[in-house]
Every structure is written in structure tokens, then in C-alpha cells.
Amino acid sequence: MSPPVLTTIELTSLPKLASGKVRDLYSLDDKTLLFVTTDRISAYDVIMANGVPFKGATLTQLTAHWFGVLTERIPGLKTHFLTLSPPAALSPADRELVRARSMQVRKLKVFPIEVIVRGYITGSAWKEYQKTGTVHGLAQPAGLQECSPFPEPIYTPSTKAELGQHDENISPEKAAEIVGDRYASRIEELALKVYKTAAEYARERGIIIADTKFEFGLDEETDDIVLIDEVLTPDSSRFWPADRYEAGRDQDSFDKQYLRNWLTKEGLKGKEGVAMPEQIAAATAARYKEAFKLLTGKTLEEALAQLE
Ligand code: ATP
Ligand code: MG
């Protein structure tokens, strides 16, 4: 059964703790959250009025898949993931609303930086490099072409802006000031390891992960750094189809290209409250689902059929 397309979700059987651009966080107990992903989509930094079918389910199921792959391949890796099963505390109506799009996670103190890792030079990194030869203030080799790989993936953190504000690229030194020396190098090392492991896995399945954003939390009881949030989705990463990749030009991103092209063509780029035509939403959904299938080896429908 298809989950309904939902841009706002108001559960009545749990208290809401916070709401982001895409997700709503509900409190289950002191240590546990219900992490709910809506079908909202943003492009050029504004949220569309309508949603993308299956998006919340795709992001949730893909994140859960990655947590499995990563914990298997990286000994000792800790994640916030607990289960995809709905909590007993949900009313039957709420259970329907969050079906396939929610997971129970450990509630943790979030390190207030965006932990970005870049394998390829594009976006704001390419813009900076053209002007100064640096990326987030780090010197880079001369002669890199647009979208070419860095000699080694690099850690390029940014600030975590409030809703409506833009994140700001910062140097690893500045990030260390924010999170504290005690954790800075552990975060960097872990982020690079997770990116490299994921990039290799995805490359074998036809996807280049050009760059990605992680978030980390702190387990205050054990002092462990924990991988939290969504991971390695088309929303948090740039996925490029490997068979069409070519350095020296911009690449089609896997997910939002239809939507961005349409917004540009209609002169609606950056306008608030725009509704996508059904065909654009459907084409976007198809791209998210295609990435899911390539990365997990099964269709989203197959994954949903396995849920309770
Ligand atoms: P965007 O991802 O588009 O920048 P956003 O980050 O504002 O938007 P969402 O992704 O919609 O927000 O919501 C997820 C929120 O949950 C983020 O603020 C993230 O830091 C927080 N979060 C993720 N995992 C945990 C966790 N285990 N404990 C506490 N907070 C978490
Ligand atoms: Mg987020």
C-alpha cells in the first residue's frame, strides 16, 4: 500500500519536540525519539507547497539500509538507529501517518556543525576554488577541473544555520573551536571513514557520491561519537549517475534536476509557496526510487512489503 503524500504531520499520541525542513521529531521517552520524515522537498533553498510521493519513506528506508551496511563494514561504528518498528505508544491513526517514514532513534546531544565530506569538487567548493585555489580555506592542488575528484576526500565542515539562514563554510580549525579539541579530530576521522566506505559501496552500484553531509551526536554516558540524522540520501548528498559522469562540466544530480529545470524554465526559482505539477513531483519521486533501488538492490515497494 502506498503511503499518503504528506507535507505536514501532526501526531496526537506523542509530544512533538522539534520540526526541521524535512523531518519532525517526537519524544518517546528521555532517551528515545521518533524520527519522522515528511514528503517535503526544497529546491534553491525554498520548500515546495506540495510533496514528493514516497520521499519520506525512501529517505527513511535508505538511511536504515546504510546504517546496516556501515555498521557491518566499520568495526565499532555507533549510530542512533534503534528500529523501524512503530512504537507501541502510537494510536492506530498516528501509526498510519508515520508508516514506512519513521524510525526510533537514540536522542543525543547534537554537535552543532554540518560534517561535510567532499570527494569531488563542485558547488560552493568549486566556486571558492576558482577564486582562491582553496576549499573551505584549505589549499588545493592547481589545475582541478569542475567535478573532478580531489586527490583524497576532504573534510569541509560548515556551520549549522537556523531555519531560513544559510550554512557558512568553515575551516576544520574553526569547526574544532565549535565542537572542542576533545572531539574535533575524532569527528573528522570518523566522517572520512564513513564517506570512503559508502563511496566505494555506491560506486560498485553505479552511483558516485560526490559529497555528503553527516551529523554526529555525543553519547554522554560513554563519551562515544555517534552517527545520527539521515545518512547518504539524495537530500544530504550529491549522487551522480556513474555512467554519465565526465569531469570538466557540471553533472546532472540524481534527484532534483527535473524540479530545478522546471523552476528555472518557469521563472519560479527561489519563489516561496510554489506547487509542482503532478508530473514533476512524479518524475522526482521516480529518481529518488531509482537511487534507492541501485543502492539497496531492491525496489522501495519490496522494502515496504517487508515492514510490519
Ligand atoms: P536540513 O537537513 O534540510 O538542513 P534540518 O537539518 O533543519 O534541515 P531536518 O533534517 O528536517 O532538519 O530534521 C532533523 C533534525 O533532527 C536536525 O535538526 C538534526 O540535527 C536532528 N537530529 C538528528 N538525529 C538526532 C538525534 N539522534 N538526537 C537529536 N537530534 C537529532
Ligand atoms: Mg537535516
Side-chain angles (χ1 to χ4, degrees):
M1 205 181 67
S2 303
V5 184
L6 298 175
T7 52
T8 54
I9 297 174
E10 294 297 338
L11 302 184
T12 55
S13 48
L14 291 176
K16 192 190 266 184
L17 211 65
S19 193
K21 271 174 276 180
V22 173
R23 265 157 279 270
D24 298 327
L25 275 51
Y26 288 87
S27 180
L28 282 165
D29 60 46
D30 287 356
K31 294 184 169 172
T32 322
L33 299 174
L34 187 66
F35 199 63
V36 180
T37 306
T38 70
D39 298 312
R40 293 194 285 269
I41 187 166
S42 65
Y44 299 118
D45 279 336
V46 291
I47 298 169
M48 300 294 113
N50 52 342
V52 170
F54 295 98
K55 182 167 177 280
T58 308
L59 297 185
T60 300
Q61 302 305 317
L62 182 57
T63 291
H65 176 79
W66 275 120
F67 281 141
V69 168
L70 294 168
T71 46
E72 201 182 290
R73 295 182 177 212
I74 303 175
L77 178 72
K78 300 244 167 22
T79 82
H80 71 161
F81 179 75
L82 293 171
T83 177
L84 286 168
S85 301
L90 281 180
S91 68
D94 283 353
R95 184 181 275 246
E96 275 313 304
L97 290 173
V98 304
R99 182 184 293 282
R101 65 170 81 244
S102 66
M103 58 172 71
Q104 296 184 48
V105 302
R106 296 170 60 206
K107 179 180 176 181
L108 296 162
K109 191 173 145 195
V110 180
F111 286 107
I113 55 168
E114 308 269 27
V115 181
I116 300 167
V117 178
R118 300 174 190 268
Y120 292 72
I121 187 162
T122 183
S124 65
W126 173 241
K127 285 206 185 89
E128 179 185 333
Y129 175 77
Q130 284 175 288
K131 280 189 211 135
T132 59
T134 61
V135 170
H136 292 233
L138 304 167
Q140 298 303 321
L144 291 179
Q145 287 183 289
E146 183 173 17
C147 296
S148 61
F150 291 105
E152 272 297 307
I154 55 173
Y155 166 61
T156 54
S158 76
T159 58
K160 224 166 140 35
E162 298 294 316
L163 206 64
Q165 306 286 307
H166 294 287
D167 295 340
E168 190 193 325
N169 289 350
I170 53 177
S171 65
E173 287 73 34
K174 179 78 193 164
E177 280 171 31
I178 297 170
V179 301
D181 285 336
R182 181 176 171 73
Y183 301 110
S185 57
R186 278 165 64 195
I187 289 174
E188 172 169 353
E189 209 176 296
L190 200 51
L192 287 168
K193 192 181 286 178
V194 175
Y195 170 79
K196 285 180 195 168
T197 304
E200 188 185 303
Y201 175 94
R203 191 64 189 77
E204 288 162 5
R205 289 160 180 81
I207 291 181
I208 291 172
I209 304 177
D211 52 33
T212 194
K213 183 212 75 175
F214 300 117
E215 293 192 34
F216 287 98
L218 178 67
D219 182 332
E220 291 176 284
E221 278 163 28
T222 60
D223 207 41
D224 279 317
I225 292 168
V226 185
L227 182 60
I228 64 168
D229 207 51
E230 65 173 328
V231 286
L232 299 154
T233 69
D235 273 12
S236 66
S237 322
R238 283 192 178 89
F239 286 169
W240 295 337
D243 56 359
R244 277 182 269 143
Y245 168 74
E246 193 181 52
R249 59 162 171 82
D250 197 10
Q251 316 295 308
D252 268 3
S253 82
F254 225 94
D255 48 332
K256 293 184 187 170
Q257 209 58 44
Y258 283 97
L259 175 56
R260 293 202 188 109
N261 291 351
W262 176 77
L263 287 167
T264 306
K265 187 174 84 176
E266 301 293 323
L268 295 169
K269 194 173 155 176
K271 284 226 171 82
E272 301 279 344
V274 172
M276 300 169 274
E278 205 167 311
Q279 171 256 329
I280 298 293
T284 305
R287 299 296 276 169
Y288 273 79
K289 283 175 155 182
E290 194 187 341
F292 179 87
K293 185 166 174 233
L294 285 171
L295 289 169
T296 66
K298 56 188 167 193
T299 64
L300 182 70
E301 282 74 10
E302 283 164 352
L304 298 190
Q306 284 165 10
L307 296 175
E308 50 178 281

